[in-house]
Amino acid sequence: MRYAKRGPLRFTSHRDFARAFERALRRAGVPVAYSQGFTPHPKISYASAAPTGVASEAEYLEIGLCEEVDPAELRIALDAALSPGLDILDAVVAGPGSLADRIDASRWRIELPGVDPAVLRHAVSAFLAAPEVPVERMTKQGRRVFDARGAVVSIDVISTTEAPSEVEGVPCAILEVVVRQVTPSVRPDDVLSGLRVVADLAPPVPPRATRLAQGTLTAQGEIVDPLEADRDGAAIGER
């Protein structure tokens, strides 16, 4: 299944979403399968969840069911059982192989209110010219220094005549970035930290990041939806 985190619900943590999704399964009467043992859990597997505070149009999960259901009906029922802003966009019957194995890159859109596009272009040029860009972040293993440049496949300043929603009276530069999945993962805030390292770019207000896509990166730089391999031509709803 593919789902989105939108608007204020982007501040929902992965744990909060997991709890909300399990409640939605119960409300929708989904015949979900459970693990064995003393503490059975619903068979749900999440793939590369976005960080808290980041919006996304391309989050993915797998669920195990104990009987067959129609994917379109399942999508509609679960979407209705979740709060607006946590939206189920797509569902297919899973074929062989792991969903996680089909995801090796993400495309992000980062809005930077108060930053002039020309200033951002200068910072991006410096970032691309650097052989590596070390940044620091606290991880579960403690504070780590890692290269933010190596995972970035492409990084571009998007030209637009329209300001993003919620941005008024100030310039707003927009960045689009394609990042490979590596360990430790390189997130939008790491890319922004890298721009600060190479060009002293410091947005005056918090940027707003949205994951637009994730999946398999092709040689042409496109990202293939991980659900595409399981489609059989049936119409699966999306809104």
Side-chain angles (χ1 to χ4, degrees):
M1 307 189 81
R2 173 173 156 235
Y3 66 96
K5 291 170 53 179
R6 296 167 168 162
L9 272 298
R10 69 185 185 274
F11 295 106
T12 303
S13 71
H14 174 61
R15 184 173 295 180
D16 289 338
F17 174 80
R19 286 196 290 261
F21 187 71
E22 289 183 23
R23 289 195 297 269
L25 288 170
R26 291 192 293 271
R27 283 198 294 268
V30 176
V32 64
Y34 281 78
S35 62
Q36 303 297 313
F38 291 106
T39 55
H41 297 285
K43 290 188 175 182
I44 308 172
S45 176
Y46 297 92
S48 187
T52 303
V54 171
S56 179
E57 294 295 315
E59 300 298 286
Y60 291 89
L61 60 82
E62 293 178 285
I63 57 174
L65 304 179
C66 54
E67 61 183 70
E68 290 189 13
V69 300
D70 179 80
E73 293 179 1
L74 176 65
R75 185 201 71 81
I76 292 169
L78 284 174
D79 190 54
L82 285 164
S83 300
L86 298 177
D87 303 316
I88 305 296
L89 304 180
D90 205 352
V92 298
V93 176
S98 166
L99 177 63
D101 290 341
R102 302 177 188 177
I103 298 176
D104 60 19
S106 294
R107 174 174 286 108
W108 299 90
R109 176 187 174 102
I110 307 172
E111 299 170 0
L112 294 92
V115 175
D116 187 276
V119 173
L120 182 59
R121 289 190 187 94
H122 171 75
V124 166
S125 295
F127 184 90
L128 290 172
E132 64 178 37
V133 180
V135 298
E136 186 177 70
R137 172 163 42 95
M138 181 63 74
T139 69
K140 293 180 180 179
Q141 291 74 38
R143 191 164 294 280
R144 296 278 302 274
V145 176
F146 55 93
D147 177 26
R149 174 66 184 90
V152 174
V153 177
S154 64
I155 178 169
D156 299 291
V157 180
I158 303 302
S159 297
T160 178
T161 57
E162 297 182 4
S165 59
E166 303 180 19
V167 177
E168 297 181 358
V170 295
C172 182
I174 300 176
L175 196 64
E176 190 165 297
V177 188
V178 175
V179 182
R180 291 188 187 276
Q181 284 197 348
V182 294
T183 303
S185 61
V186 173
R187 310 182 311 195
D189 54 317
D190 299 319
V191 174
L192 295 175
S193 294
L195 294 175
R196 187 179 305 114
V197 168
V198 298
D200 199 28
L201 180 72
V205 297
R208 183 166 178 172
T210 302
R211 175 145 58 190
L212 302 178
Q214 61 173 325
T216 303
L217 184 67
T218 69
Q220 293 73 37
E222 299 297 320
I223 294 180
V224 178
D225 182 349
L227 303 189
E228 199 62 39
D230 294 326
R231 299 191 192 282
D232 59 3
I236 306 296
E238 179 175 341
R239 72 179 189 185

